[in-house]
Amino acid sequence: MKYLVPLLTVCLLAACTSRPTTSGISVEQASAQYQQQLKVDNPALGKKLAISDVKTRQTNQLTDVVVTLSSQYKKSQYLQYQFTWYDGDGFVIKGNHSPWQSLTLFGFANVQLPGLAPTSDAVTFSLAVREVSTQTQEFKD
């Protein structure tokens, strides 16, 4: 019993600092110097997409970001993207997730994905990109 409380505390802290992942690719702002890291959760999608540029600036005390997504594939891709914002301590700013935005990325095209921090507390961000199924789904009783 005396080991249970410290173990639960460690698990709780680990859960608070973990960042959500999605099936796709994502870029994360690692520090104030805007060093980007590319994370690929879906290798097939990772071969079809590349994040070629990330630009940030301060606009009215809010972090403004533009991420350039490039298609490495000859056909159109049906995607969704979402920004998540973090405070100075690396915690997700609750209640301020941007919704998943739909995007059609044509073959070998580039598109800029804009994001604006919801509050001035947001100092870092991550961007997740995932595929959208184009197959119709049937629901059976």
Side-chain angles (χ1 to χ4, degrees), residues 6 16 25 27 39-40 49 55 57-59 64 67 78 81 83 92 95 101 106 111-112 115 118-119 123-124 130 136:
C16 290
I25 68 171
V27 65
K39 179 179 179 185
V40 179
L49 297 174
K55 295 179 183 177
R57 68 178 175 192
Q58 291 298 115
T59 304
D64 192 8
V67 178
Y78 303 96
Y81 68 94
F83 284 93
V92 174
Q101 301 289 323
F106 299 106
V111 66
Q112 290 187 330
T119 68
V123 295
T124 60
R130 66 183 181 188
T136 58

Side-chain angles (χ1 to χ4, degrees), residues 72-130:
Q72 308 295 311
Y73 187 60
K74 64 183 176 180
K75 295 183 180 179
S76 295
Q77 299 179 68
Y78 303 96
L79 308 167
Q80 292 179 328
Y81 68 94
Q82 179 186 50
F83 284 93
T84 303
W85 298 92
Y86 303 93
D87 65 15
D89 295 322
F91 288 94
V92 174
I93 297 177
K94 297 289 183 189
N96 288 315
H97 282 277
S98 66
W100 284 98
Q101 301 289 323
S102 296
L103 167 68
T104 300
L105 184 58
F106 299 106
F108 299 112
N110 296 328
V111 66
Q112 290 187 330
L113 309 177
L116 182 64
T119 68
S120 59
D121 295 335
V123 295
T124 60
F125 70 93
S126 66
L127 169 70
V129 180
R130 66 183 181 188

Side-chain angles (χ1 to χ4, degrees), residues 28-45:
E28 184 173 313
Q29 178 186 1
S31 69
Q33 289 124 11
Y34 307 116
Q35 296 175 336
Q36 294 80 28
Q37 297 175 344
L38 179 63
K39 179 179 179 185
V40 179
D41 295 324
N42 180 341
L45 183 60

